[in-house]
Amino acid sequence: MIKIVRYANEKYPWLLAGVMGFVAITFIVGMGWWGFGETSGTTVASVGDLKVSRDEFRLAYENTYRLYKDRLQGEIKDEMIKQFVLEQLIENRLWLLVAKDLGLSISAEDLRADIIRRPEFQRNGQFDPDLYRRLLAANRLTPAAFEAVETQDLLTNKARMIIRDSVALTPTEVAEAQALVARQATLAQPSSSQAQERIYQDVLFQKQQRALAAYTEALKTRIPIKIHRELL
């Protein structure tokens, strides 16, 4: 999965967002159609007491494969795409378990605010209830099914934010960021306060991303994960 993410991010920086969108949409359609934690057909993976159904995996894989086939013209191998999709679905389950352990919840107000600010449900900059219902119907979803899964998505993001925000720069790292600012000021024009803050935030962001990745890998060693690769 690391190879496919790095490849897409470096050679085709616009592509990764599209792939992640396909996986997210598949998760919404799958969960809205079959219900969270349930399977349709055969289970390809279990994460703790949560499942990834074969139907859900195949839908995510087919959408992602079409995107790569059209944009990369076969440069990415089939097995790489399967592994990438499977990892995304597994990580979604892992973070749902983290949210549960942390006792997190999403209020009706939080859910409503998230939905009405999504651009795909807006017309002329305003939330359009009719457009909202039509788009969901086109994907064979009811508002209740979509909102249930959107709540799960908000929960995983909330869990990630808590872990991310627990990471801070050490005094040594702050000094290194300040030294970087000083070097750039020497090579070019003196840095503004905004530029200095941007460098600081970039250094912090990189550390937070490394911490999230490490935390996710630790989850994979702590939470039982069973994969039926013969069904992929």
Side-chain angles (χ1 to χ4, degrees):
M1 186 185 74
I2 294 175
K3 183 176 181 180
I4 195 171
V5 172
R6 183 180 298 130
Y7 182 93
N9 215 19
E10 292 177 355
K11 192 169 184 180
Y12 302 91
W14 43 264
L15 181 61
L16 187 59
V19 172
M20 296 301 292
F22 269 131
V23 173
I25 290 170
T26 298
F27 179 73
I28 289 172
V29 173
M31 302 314 288
W33 208 213
W34 298 307
F36 182 71
E38 299 176 2
T39 63
S40 176
T42 309
T43 297
V44 299
S46 59
V47 183
D49 59 353
L50 305 182
K51 310 291 183 183
V52 177
S53 75
R54 190 179 188 182
D55 291 327
E56 182 184 355
F57 170 80
R58 292 303 301 180
L59 183 58
Y61 163 75
E62 288 166 6
N63 285 334
T64 305
Y65 178 81
R66 278 197 299 271
L67 181 61
Y68 274 111
K69 182 180 179 181
D70 293 343
R71 304 294 177 86
L72 301 187
Q73 299 179 345
E75 294 180 56
I76 293 294
K77 294 182 179 179
D78 178 71
E79 288 303 315
M80 294 173 64
I81 298 176
K82 286 183 177 179
Q83 183 64 23
F84 174 73
V85 170
L86 183 63
E87 286 288 329
Q88 299 310 305
L89 294 171
I90 287 174
E91 288 185 14
N92 177 277
R93 269 50 170 193
L94 288 170
W95 283 100
L96 281 173
L97 292 173
V98 172
K100 181 180 179 180
D101 289 343
L102 293 174
L104 302 180
S105 62
I106 300 298
S107 69
E109 292 77 13
D110 290 339
L111 176 61
R112 181 178 182 277
D114 176 76
I115 291 174
I116 65 176
R117 68 170 169 255
R118 292 180 60 159
E120 61 266 36
F121 300 140
Q122 293 182 1
R123 191 185 302 277
N124 299 323
Q126 298 293 324
F127 176 72
D128 187 328
D130 291 334
L131 177 60
Y132 172 63
R133 287 188 289 268
R134 286 200 304 273
L135 285 176
L136 294 186
N139 286 283
R140 299 186 298 176
L141 284 168
T142 65
F146 172 77
E147 289 163 16
V149 177
E150 187 67 9
T151 298
Q152 303 290 353
D153 189 47
L154 290 173
L155 275 174
T156 62
N157 289 336
K158 194 171 186 178
R160 286 187 176 96
M161 291 282 285
I162 288 175
I163 302 303
R164 187 202 69 181
D165 292 345
S166 67
V167 176
L169 295 182
T170 65
T172 299
E173 290 167 335
V174 171
E176 291 174 352
Q178 292 172 340
L180 179 59
V181 171
R183 285 198 299 272
Q184 291 194 354
T186 300
L187 295 173
Q189 297 178 352
S191 300
S192 66
S193 59
Q194 289 183 340
Q196 293 176 18
E197 178 63 19
R198 185 166 59 252
I199 291 174
Y200 175 86
Q201 291 300 328
D202 286 345
V203 173
L204 176 60
F205 176 77
Q206 292 171 18
K207 182 177 182 180
Q208 289 173 331
Q209 292 303 108
R210 291 194 299 271
L212 282 174
Y215 191 89
T216 302
E217 291 305 310
L219 289 174
K220 292 177 182 178
T221 64
R222 180 169 61 85
I223 297 174
I225 299 174
K226 186 174 183 180
I227 300 172
H228 301 280
R229 294 194 178 275
E230 72 278 7
L231 301 176
L232 298 181

